[in-house]
Amino acid sequence: MEKNFFLKVVNVKKYFPVSKSFLIKSQKYVKAVDNISFSIRRGGTLGIVGESGSGKTTLARVILRLIEPTSGSVYFDNKNIFDLDKHELRKLRPKMQMIFQDPMASLNPRKKVKQILTQVFKLHTSLSNEEIYDRVLDLLEKVGLSPPELFLDRYPHELSGGQRQRVCIARAIALNPKLLIADEPVSALDVSVRGQIINLLLNIYRERGEDMIYIIISHDIALIKSMCKDTLVMYSGRMVEFGETDSIIKSPLHPYTRMLISAVPIPDPEIARTKKRIPISGEPPSLINPPPGCHFHPRCPYVMERCKVEVPQYFQVEDRLVSCFLYAQY
Ligand SMILES: Nc1ncnc2c1ncn2[C@@H]1O[C@H](COP(=O)(O)OP(=O)(O)O)[C@@H](O)[C@H]1O
Ligand SMILES: [Mg+2]
């Protein structure tokens, strides 16, 4: 792995074909990820926000090539991940890990915690059984499953939701990944344990963040604010705004980002005092038949004629990229 590795996502698309019916003759697609580009360097932290169905999970899965892209490139460790064959991809796998929203669904119900974690080392290292056992104990301690001996022989269903997510986190960090994507890591958990899991993710970030690229997908703007230097806002499969988290929260540019930020309570009195509340109105668009032009135009309070027919390109406003004709003069 090169010392100053980076992740560069270029024009990535993922279209899912929709099953045809006798009424619809031509093949239609759900454009879950529609031409997304961005990059982050080693030590970078990116938050991805956007309402449910906007394509966040699909983007994450495509970046890690857990699903095949429709088109585009993703450069990581100086390789285009989309060009790798099975063997090369398998070698890179331990360096790119994902923590999923639903820990139950991502653990094999027939394997004990010890087997789940041991398997990672067996697949990707040549450590001896004793060394692996020590690593597994260390990992369990690290993710707060202590004393570790108590958890080794449990099956996923014998753990609480929070404990299961800790096992998933242990598995994801086992081999010191260089790219870690956490997809709404607490949204399936009880409110009472969310804070603990967030703290665990924060600790991992403090410990290893410098040598990693961290991507967090979350609805929780406060979490994004505490962990992510940069933020990417998705709407209906497209990136509508990208830039530094602090400046996006202080002065969101895209009308959708403004709605999103105004809808959440932010534990920062200075921002809370000055910000105006804008109600989120209207429905998210259908991804099969999205509106022409800017996908947000039917809900946008600033809609202009051209928004209804043209897709806005990215305009650079200071440090920000924003896909909105309001900024066309910049
Ligand atoms: N395997 C799939 N087949 C068909 N459509 C899919 C598949 N996975 C996701 N989608 C569709 O892609 C869109 C984006 O989904 P997703 O990436 O899960 O959004 P988010 O994570 O932002 O909620 C949704 O309309 C969803 O129904
Ligand atoms: Mg999702």
Side-chain angles (χ1 to χ4, degrees), residues 3 10 33-35 48 73-74 76 142 147 154 157 162 214 239-240 248 271 286 297 302 312 317:
K3 192 171 174 298
V10 188
V33 172
D34 198 7
N35 217 15
I48 301 183
S73 341
V74 170
F76 179 62
K142 184 158 273 163
R154 296 212 193 156
H157 70 89
Y214 216 149
M239 176 174 111
V240 294
I248 286 186
I271 297 175
S286 145
H297 87 254
Y302 309 99
V317 184

Side-chain angles (χ1 to χ4, degrees), residues 217-251:
I217 299 172
S218 177
H219 287 100
D220 185 349
I221 305 277
L223 170 65
I224 299 280
K225 184 170 151 53
S226 65
M227 284 181 75
C228 304
K229 184 175 165 290
D230 293 318
T231 291
L232 187 163
V233 184
M234 278 187 82
Y235 185 79
S236 179
R238 294 183 183 156
M239 176 174 111
V240 294
E241 188 160 351
F242 181 85
E244 287 200 7
T245 305
D246 286 342
S247 72
I248 286 186
I249 290 177
K250 279 211 178 79
S251 60

